[in-house]
Amino acid sequence: MTPVRGFFVGNVLGALDASLAIARSRDGGRYPPGTLLQLVPQEAMVKHRAGYNPPTNDWEFFSLDVSAQGTKILTRGVEDVVNRFGGNCAACHSAAETRFDFVCEHDHGCAPLPVGDDVLRAVQQADPRP
């Protein structure tokens, strides 16, 4: 996955350049289907085709178990996945300004996470996957 500021971007449908263009834009935009975003190894969100789930702007959230052997999906869904801090993913992301397509960053309108960027970087660097 490609790092952008403090998170990682991929696209499982091959549209990585389009996903990166939106991620790198300070003005926001609508991510293309297949976009995979990850802040920490234990969580991810994937953009589906239009109409998949309008209340979440067609995003699906994942709680993951990661190890040196790979990644296992623990929970996936649109409105009932809880992050490692005990927060509901969809509820937190719904606060993002519309132009940012349900994606949270420091200035996107979402509540801040209960840990600082230094802790997030440490969690990212501790990812056991090759």
Side-chain angles (χ1 to χ4, degrees):
M1 293 184 58
T2 304
V4 174
R5 289 181 297 284
F7 63 101
F8 298 88
V9 180
N11 190 296
V12 298
L13 298 177
L16 179 59
D17 289 343
S19 296
L20 287 171
I22 300 300
R24 291 175 176 151
S25 171
R26 290 292 187 182
D27 297 324
R30 189 162 179 87
Y31 283 90
T35 298
L36 169 63
L37 301 180
Q38 192 166 39
L39 177 63
V40 293
Q42 298 81 6
E43 303 171 6
M45 56 193 287
V46 174
K47 181 76 171 202
H48 287 268
R49 61 173 166 56
Y52 170 78
N53 188 276
T56 62
N57 278 11
D58 304 315
W59 289 98
E60 181 178 17
F61 301 94
F62 295 80
S63 173
L64 307 169
D65 179 37
V66 296
S67 70
Q69 290 70 43
T71 304
K72 177 182 175 186
I73 297 172
L74 298 175
T75 309
R76 64 185 288 181
V78 292
E79 295 167 359
D80 55 355
V81 177
V82 175
N83 68 23
R84 66 183 298 139
F85 307 111
N88 177 282
C89 297
C92 289
H93 283 267
S94 69
E97 293 177 29
T98 303
R99 66 186 172 123
F100 295 116
D101 193 19
F102 238 68
V103 175
C104 294
E105 284 193 69
H106 293 295
D107 60 353
H108 288 191
C110 304
L113 292 173
V115 297
D117 290 343
D118 56 334
V119 173
L120 293 174
R121 278 189 297 277
V123 172
Q124 291 167 345
Q125 292 170 352
D127 188 344
R129 299 172 294 181

